[in-house]
Amino acid sequence: MARFFLTTPLYYVNARPHLGHAYSTIVADAVVRFRQQLGENASFLTGTDEHGQKIQRAAEAAGITPQQFADANAARFREEWDRLGLRYSYFIRTSESRHNAAVGEVFRRMQAKGHIYKGEYSGAYCVHDELYVEGEPGTPCPTCGRATEKLTEENYYFRLSAFQQPLLQFYQEHPEFIRPEARRNEVLAFVQSGLRDLSISRTSIRWGIPVPGDERHVFYVWLDALCGYLTGIGYGSPLPADQQRFHELWPAWHLVGKEIVRFHAVYWPAFLMAAELPLPRGIIAHGWLLFEEEKMSKSRGNVVRAEPIQRVMGADALRYFLLREVSFGQDGSFSYDALVARYNSDLANDWGNLAARTLNMIQRYFGGKVPYPAAGVAWLHQDLEIMRQAEQARDSLRAAFLDYHFARGLEAVWQFIAGLNRYLVDQEPWALAEKSDAESRSRLATVLHIAAESLRFTAILLAPVLPESANRLWQQLGLEGDAAQRIDGLTWGKIPVDQAITQISPLFPRLEKAAAVEQLRKLEAEAEAASLPPAAAAGAAAAPPAATPASANQAAPANQAAPANQAAPANPPASSAPAGKASSPPDAAASPAVPPAAARIPIDDFAKVEMRVGEVKTAERIPGATKLLKLTVDIGTEARQIVAGIAEAYAPADLIGQKVVIVANLEPRKLRGVESNGMIVAASVEPSGKPVLVSVPADTPNGSRLR
Ligand code: ME8
């Protein structure tokens, strides 16, 4: 049986997962389900990238150890994937001990072949991207644009320069290695312009895997993380079963976001060549999800989370939206409006109504048994056309999905669905049912048989993308097993004779658009407020999370999808979901309950935080947000717009003219779509977490710095 093994990136644990991470993992899940329906032995690996300076700093800022920090956030990734029903087979955390040994082994192999030497690096480094950057320190990072930092330290170097020609030759021999074409061209240009040796160890940080035999060094986080693809499936294990699994699965296909193609398409194959291990089969790069016109990312503060969407409309709706709306390989915009619009038009109207209509007519006119077309009655041209369209949808979807053109594949199925809806309108089975003559009865049987068989087709074809709803349709059709049947072997006419349908329930109850969007925004804002660092939320984070699963549902006028979700075995009802915010492990970055294990910090760290005195000039509530106020604060040199979670403790009018302390050098972030340029400092008074503003005497000049 053909094997197909795919990986997602191993996500950094400096923050909780957002929709960008969910996108990659959902794509991997859909691809693997699709390949399984082609009869392949397909699986995927995901995991978390836990070492390096970025995580070390985030943990320091939270006052806990990097391991505690990583444990809390890695658990969140796993929970998120489980909640979304993503069926990864392997999950690797790079702080696991099984991983340490494997990275050391790859290094030893590279060293044994003479590809490693010791030297000193002095130059620019981007901590955000964990990337060595050419040029003077301070030069903007080519990936994220942030200012690079100066780094001077003794390192082990990898002779990347020696792999320029072998890599170019490899790309030439494997034109499909990097896709899409645009990314391949970028990589070719980068390698053709010359490769410099690469530092692969660090001495100035401790949070990493020690270099065997020279433990002052820890491995460069990208060497460490990339090796996770090997360790996650058994590489380096002494157990024969693990070794066998590794040999069966490796090499992998790597699915990545476009910003990390260079690591996967240049460094990684070079490392593997040096270690004399087989190279990956290929790199499949996707574009970015944009929100409010910018890349969705934690640091820009414009993230959307999957969980509220899943709670309001189900995980399938999110999967469908991402695969249908985004042209795979290119950037795609996310918006709540578009999400709800697609849900209503494609899922509720087109597919959901088709299913409900057909099943209801079978129930009403044939006592719940799929009718069999009368023998000896010739099919009309329109009947044959539906058969043809079903087979065409199957072939188009198969070809498109094999090529990662998910939107195109889904479009083909929706053309078929539209054709089928038109067919029902033209054939008017409800009118045929009014007539009692034998010919009308036979015609009615044929039409509903064709519609039922077509529904079986759609369930199978859509199972990779809409697994839960496809299975519900499958059950309603009364069919055995599940909808994940073979796509390549799918042929017309296999619905059993006199097949008894089961209880009918809507696949996608229609959502009232404005209410649904409002509900989504509300849940997102609450989830966001619950995850802010304690002072940033100024009370909002420390207060009990507002979005407990139960209250969220009660407050949800738009949550008509709940009954449908409850019916779904794979998707527990939101009200009983154990993984709601209230019961998730503490957000390491946010929770005041985590013991401050590394509470003392050098004075330099404190100096990075720029706190200034300001005066509130305007204050107003943000519509629909119970905790948030939008403030304008005069800090001497400028007026800053700041969003603060203090609305439950302070009335806007009382704040005007009040002196406050703000953190002035935070990156901007958006709360409820409103940009916040800084943070108001407040004490969080237990047990309720009530915010109490920190202030200074009224005559302190605006802009004075706190040191
Ligand atoms: O880069 N749109 O981890 P990371 C689409 N640890 N995809 C997005 C996205 C967005 N707005 N934001 C994130 C790392 N992603 C390294 C990887 S691999 C050995 C090490 C997805 O947490 C996308 O897949 O920054 C992107 O490549 C990945 O998350 C980056 O995750």
Side-chain angles (χ1 to χ4, degrees), residues 9-12 18 20-21 23-24 49 222 225-226 229 256-257 259-260 264 286-289 295-296:
L10 308 185
Y11 307 111
Y12 287 128
H18 60 68
H21 305 114
Y23 176 58
S24 310
D49 181 355
W222 269 100
L226 287 161
Y229 295 141
V256 298
E259 79 291 356
I260 53 173
H264 286 80
H286 64 70
W288 288 338
L289 279 191
K295 181 189 178 201
M296 188 182 290

Side-chain angles (χ1 to χ4, degrees), residues 285-330:
H286 64 70
W288 288 338
L289 279 191
L290 311 177
F291 187 55
E292 291 161 346
E293 309 300 320
E294 279 198 81
K295 181 189 178 201
M296 188 182 290
S297 74
K298 164 83 182 165
S299 52
R300 288 186 177 85
N302 63 343
V303 295
V304 171
R305 314 270 177 197
E307 191 189 350
I309 300 172
Q310 183 228 334
R311 283 164 55 184
V312 172
M313 50 178 59
D316 274 11
L318 174 62
R319 296 167 70 95
Y320 176 75
F321 177 82
L322 293 174
L323 291 164
R324 175 67 186 83
E325 190 84 6
V326 179
S327 212
F328 186 81
Q330 293 167 27

